[in-house]
Amino acid sequence: MARPSRSCSRTPPGRDEHAFAVLYRDLQPSVLRYLRILAPGAAEDLAAETWLRVVGKLIRWSPIRTGKPPARPWTTYMGKLLVVRRLLEAEERLPKREPWTDPM
């Protein structure tokens, strides 16, 4: 009887280095492509930060057990949240403008 491959095992990727490597290899190109559309100059940094977040949350993530989305939308959504956070932080650093008032 053939054994299932480790990438198809029920072990969560957060506890299985091989499963994480497969996940990274399969998803990194699409995550990077998506982030290049949202933030062209910062895509590489955002992708790295996205994977750090993924690793931190991967142990608790299981689409079967928790009803969470599949890995691709979940990972790209985490990247999108980082883009939004960077935009908000950049906006906070801008000097505050006086509200426009009509001279009439």
Side-chain angles (χ1 to χ4, degrees):
M1 186 166 142
R3 289 181 54 183
S5 70
R6 289 185 62 178
S7 63
C8 297
S9 72
R10 295 277 184 200
T11 305
R15 295 189 180 106
D16 184 345
E17 289 180 27
H18 176 72
F20 176 76
V22 169
L23 185 70
Y24 180 83
R25 186 187 66 229
D26 290 349
L27 298 182
Q28 171 62 3
S30 63
V31 169
L32 192 54
R33 199 170 31 251
Y34 180 69
L35 293 172
R36 282 185 178 141
I37 292 168
L38 296 179
E44 296 281 341
D45 290 341
L46 288 165
E49 195 171 340
T50 298
W51 284 105
L52 286 174
R53 303 252 173 179
V54 167
V55 167
K57 296 182 184 289
L58 204 51
I59 291 174
R60 295 188 307 254
W61 179 78
S62 169
I64 296 168
R65 186 186 49 176
T66 62
K68 294 195 177 188
R72 185 178 312 271
W74 178 69
T75 305
T76 53
Y77 179 72
M78 291 179 71
K80 179 182 175 182
L81 290 178
L82 289 171
V83 171
V84 169
R85 177 186 288 170
R86 284 215 181 161
L87 290 172
L88 290 173
E89 288 172 354
E91 185 177 304
E92 288 176 2
R93 288 189 296 258
L94 290 175
K96 301 295 180 204
R97 293 191 229 163
E98 294 296 321
W100 184 81
T101 56
D102 190 0
M104 298 276 172

